[in-house]
Amino acid sequence: MAQPIVKSIAVRAPKPPSYTLKRVLVGVLFYAVAIAIAAAMFLPFFWSLITSFKPSNEIFSVPIKWIPSKLTLEHYRSAFTTVPFAGYFANSFILAAAGVLCNLFFGSISGYAFAKLNFKLNKPLFRILLAAMMIPGIVTMIPSFYVLKHFPLIGGNDILGAGGNGFLNSFWGIILPGASGSFAVFFMRQFFLTLPSDMMEMARIEGAGEFRIFWNIYLPLTKPALATLSIFTFQAGWNSFLWPMIILNDPAKATIQMGLQAFSFNHQTDFGPMMAGALIAILPILVLFLLLQKYFVQGIAFTGTKG
């Protein structure tokens, strides 16, 4: 006769109240510190926003008036009347958009070549690319200026690059040096590595050329990476100040970042219009991020998982 099988059921002992209280206190402390850090980071932006709507006599009032007595749009009107702010805005948008388009195309096609094509100098050239990423931009600024100024047959130069100004004082002098950034190539290569190579082999068997494989098969799959790269590139181009200041001498071609310095003169700064102009300057980046945030998160998640 079979013996009955006795099954023991282990009952999990309840956690002591002290453990639960400790866990709650740790959670409360964590969120308190996180909220304090977030408030500290948000405070300068909030001050800029409030300052742009404050009357001039309340900007540096003591104690600080975080809530102005009345709201005014005078600083925004002054920002557009003191300098041709709308023209600066258009110039910055043209340069930033051109930089995005160039980096998306050249960065993606170069990244595809490094990731999917086996050629003799693949790894050595990629190592050189990585080394170039470590060189600060300020180091290459003078050589880049010299090359742009003495570019042959451009801007009045002869075949030897003498006699004119080359690409100086033109938008091309801003666009060409950053048309295919090292970061763009590296970023796109890392994303292409996450895509399978089977599609490429099948397309080759069907007789498709390399550019068609890249353009019709692989490039549509890189929307998250392209969106992320667009945000990074647009932000860098939009916020660029030193290089446009060196290349562009015509006030009509000045960018929005160059225009903001017009509110600082004779060792004094007109903070109201400057804050208004600065807030207007961040709107395109904010809108771009809101439109592409879904792809941005996907691009950050998938890029860099292979090396």
Side-chain angles (χ1 to χ4, degrees):
M1 183 175 180
Q3 296 293 331
I5 301 175
V6 180
K7 295 183 178 179
S8 61
I9 302 175
V11 180
R12 180 176 297 178
K15 295 179 180 179
S18 59
Y19 176 83
T20 304
L21 179 61
K22 181 179 179 181
R23 190 172 183 179
V24 171
L25 291 177
V26 170
V28 171
L29 180 62
F30 172 80
Y31 283 107
V33 173
I35 292 173
I37 294 175
M41 298 294 291
F42 179 73
L43 196 60
F45 175 78
F46 180 74
W47 186 86
S48 301
L49 178 63
I50 293 301
T51 300
S52 68
F53 291 103
K54 279 183 180 180
S56 297
N57 60 345
E58 295 184 3
I59 292 179
F60 289 107
S61 60
V62 179
I64 297 177
K65 300 186 67 172
W66 294 104
I67 305 299
S69 59
K70 65 175 182 178
L71 300 179
T72 177
L73 296 177
E74 183 60 32
H75 298 316
Y76 287 89
R77 285 191 289 267
S78 178
F80 282 91
T81 55
T82 303
V83 295
F85 209 70
Y88 296 161
F89 192 97
N91 293 340
S92 290
F93 186 83
I94 292 173
L95 292 173
V100 169
L101 294 176
C102 291
N103 274 271
L104 290 185
F105 178 75
F106 293 112
S108 59
I109 198 170
S110 301
Y112 171 81
F114 279 118
K116 296 299 181 183
L117 301 184
N118 295 321
F119 53 95
K120 187 175 181 180
L121 297 178
N122 188 317
K123 291 184 178 180
L125 288 178
F126 185 70
R127 292 192 183 99
I128 295 175
L129 178 74
L130 293 179
M133 292 178 61
M134 303 176 189
I135 301 176
I138 194 71
V139 175
T140 60
M141 192 165 290
I142 294 178
S144 298
F145 179 87
Y146 186 85
V147 170
L148 292 173
K149 178 175 175 59
H150 297 284
F151 204 90
L153 305 179
I154 297 294
N157 286 338
D158 55 22
I159 191 65
L160 299 178
N165 292 320
F167 285 111
L168 299 186
N169 201 29
S170 71
F171 285 171
W172 289 110
I174 308 296
I175 297 172
L176 290 180
S180 181
S182 301
F183 174 77
V185 178
F186 170 78
F187 187 84
M188 293 305 299
R189 173 193 179 266
Q190 297 305 105
F191 194 88
F192 277 117
L193 286 176
T194 65
L195 302 178
S197 300
D198 299 341
M199 299 180 295
M200 179 177 61
E201 300 299 334
M202 293 177 62
R204 286 175 178 171
I205 293 175
E206 295 294 330
E210 290 297 337
F211 185 80
R212 185 177 180 184
I213 295 173
F214 158 75
W215 189 260
N216 292 338
I217 298 178
Y218 280 94
L219 190 62
L221 300 177
T222 62
K223 289 181 180 179
L226 294 177
T228 306
L229 184 60
S230 297
I231 295 175
F232 287 154
T233 307
F234 188 90
Q235 182 181 15
W238 184 265
N239 292 330
S240 180
F241 172 75
L242 183 58
W243 186 244
M245 177 69 71
I246 294 174
I247 296 297
L248 302 176
N249 299 321
D250 187 356
K253 297 179 181 179
T255 64
I256 195 170
Q257 307 301 333
M258 297 167 61
L260 289 176
Q261 71 169 347
F263 302 111
S264 180
F265 52 90
N266 293 333
H267 305 288
Q268 296 181 351
T269 301
D270 197 353
F271 283 96
M274 176 173 283
M275 292 300 103
L279 289 173
I280 295 173
I282 69 174
L283 286 179
I285 298 176
L286 181 62
V287 171
L288 183 66
F289 177 77
L290 292 177
L291 293 176
L292 302 178
Q293 61 178 332
K294 179 179 70 174
Y295 297 110
F296 176 78
V297 174
Q298 294 178 7
I300 293 296
F302 287 106
T303 303
T305 57
K306 276 192 176 184

